[in-house]
Amino acid sequence: MSLVSALLLLSVAVVVIAGLAGYAYRLREEVKRRDAFRVAEDQQAQLNSLENLDWVTAALVQEQVDVTEGAWRCKVLLEIIDPSLTERPDFQAFSELYERTKHLKTHSARQQLSPRERMQEDRERLEAEQQLRSDVLAAAQAVITWRQKGRQGLH
């Protein structure tokens, strides 16, 4: 192999390596950009969930929303914010009411029930609400207190 062809191959190799390095750098920057975007989206979802939790708990305490619906919404929002929150003793009433009523039909499935079946499900829901109403309202007030303290009250 002549010196000229060796230098030509070396220059081609350097160009290819420089091109690959540039491409790798661009990919790395894209990954950083996407990670930052995901983190920002997660933070916004947290803020939205906290704001929605404030609205739902306030409505529950003021008895402007059905106890079962409010408890379900609080449970879901707490799980979005931090799944361990639903295990806190102060907030467990939401999960307890959810567990006792999750088998009940909603929306279009409820419409397909016969009037007798609907009445039976309403009785079950009302009985569970009656038994857990004060606990759910106390849990809603505990969430309001926790939110007023800020995230320091998390654990």
Side-chain angles (χ1 to χ4, degrees), residues 71 88-98 132 135-137 139:
R88 282 183 62 158
D90 292 351
F91 304 159
Q92 281 183 342
F94 300 132
S95 294
E96 190 174 338
L97 186 56
Y98 171 80
L132 295 171
D135 292 341
V136 169
L137 295 177

Side-chain angles (χ1 to χ4, degrees), residues 1-10:
M1 179 184 299
S2 70
L3 181 61
V4 172
S5 45
L7 287 175
L8 183 61
L9 285 175
L10 178 64

Side-chain angles (χ1 to χ4, degrees), residues 65-143:
V65 67
D66 180 69
V67 173
T68 302
E69 181 179 347
W72 279 39
R73 289 176 187 263
C74 286
K75 178 189 178 302
V76 169
L77 290 167
L78 287 169
E79 286 175 343
I80 290 169
I81 296 163
D82 181 354
S84 69
L85 285 173
T86 57
E87 298 167 10
R88 282 183 62 158
D90 292 351
F91 304 159
Q92 281 183 342
F94 300 132
S95 294
E96 190 174 338
L97 186 56
Y98 171 80
E99 288 300 320
R100 289 186 57 184
T101 58
K102 70 181 180 183
H103 67 282
L104 301 176
K105 306 288 188 271
T106 60
H107 303 94
S108 62
R110 178 174 166 76
Q111 296 303 319
Q112 294 175 356
L113 295 175
S114 70
R116 176 177 293 250
E117 292 169 326
R118 239 178 297 172
M119 194 167 71
Q120 177 60 33
E121 286 201 353
D122 286 344
R123 249 188 253 125
E124 281 184 62
R125 181 182 51 79
L126 291 172
E127 183 180 318
E129 279 184 10
Q130 181 183 14
Q131 292 173 355
L132 295 171
R133 177 184 207 80
S134 62
D135 292 341
V136 169
L137 295 177
Q141 187 59 54
V143 169

Side-chain angles (χ1 to χ4, degrees), residues 6 10 37 42 47 54 71 83 85 112 144:
L10 178 64
F37 180 76
D42 288 347
L47 289 174
D54 291 343
L85 285 173
Q112 294 175 356
I144 291 170

